[in-house]
Amino acid sequence: MKIILTQDVDKLGKKYDIKDVADGYARNFLIPKKMAKLALAQNVKAMENEKQSKEVKAEQALEAVEAIVASVDRLEIVIPVKIGEKNELFQSITAKKISDALKKKEIDIKPSQIELKNPIKELGEFPVKIKFDHNLEAEIKVIITEE
């Protein structure tokens, strides 16, 4: 019996694959659990349309993320802070503070996307990586100055 998989099935195939399986396996297991549909002409056409639309949406999402990465990469963010007598910061600079500084420049980056091993606790310039979907990343320069 020819079927179209509606989800990934171990040891059988991936979603949208058309497979030839035993009648009992299809009727008693795959179809009742909505893991597959019969490979009728209308079902094949519907699955192909669904697959194409998902691919188009994935490409558009990738292009949008690439545009954001291009706009953020090599950006410099200046964060003024109050310092003490010995040039120590009164507050440490965390991913949240960097995210807030980016939001002031109308760039919406979540603190969880900012890769910062330890909070910044001194004046200077620091490279900081930002992770995005699709395994893309950008590097910005965070400049900590005296307020």
Side-chain angles (χ1 to χ4, degrees), residues 72-73 98 109-117 126-132 136-142:
V72 171
D73 201 26
I98 295 170
I109 303 291
K110 297 179 184 109
S112 61
Q113 291 177 273
I114 298 172
E115 197 173 272
L116 192 63
K117 290 182 176 128
F126 303 91
V128 175
K129 284 189 179 179
I130 300 175
K131 294 197 172 222
F132 293 91
L136 297 176
E137 48 182 52
E139 188 170 298
I140 63 171
K141 187 184 291 186
V142 177

Side-chain angles (χ1 to χ4, degrees), residues 1 32 37 40 50 59 63-64 70-71 77 82-83 95 104-105 111-112 120 126 133 137 140-142 146-147:
M1 178 180 287
K37 290 182 180 180
L40 303 174
E50 183 181 331
E59 285 179 27
E63 289 173 3
S71 69
I77 301 294
K82 293 182 181 179
I83 61 170
K104 289 179 184 173
K105 291 192 173 224
S112 61
I120 301 170
F126 303 91
D133 293 337
E137 48 182 52
I140 63 171
K141 187 184 291 186
V142 177
E146 184 177 348
E147 190 173 77

Side-chain angles (χ1 to χ4, degrees), residues 1 3 25-27 29-38:
M1 178 180 287
I3 57 158
Y25 183 48
R27 273 195 230 116
F29 182 72
L30 295 173
I31 295 172
K33 292 193 179 228
K34 300 194 186 319
M35 299 169 92
K37 290 182 180 180
L38 289 175

Side-chain angles (χ1 to χ4, degrees), residues 69-90:
V69 170
S71 69
V72 171
D73 201 26
R74 297 193 180 111
L75 188 68
E76 292 185 358
I77 301 294
V78 178
I79 301 176
V81 295
K82 293 182 181 179
I83 61 170
E85 294 175 12
K86 298 177 184 175
N87 280 346
E88 75 274 1
L89 302 183
F90 282 138

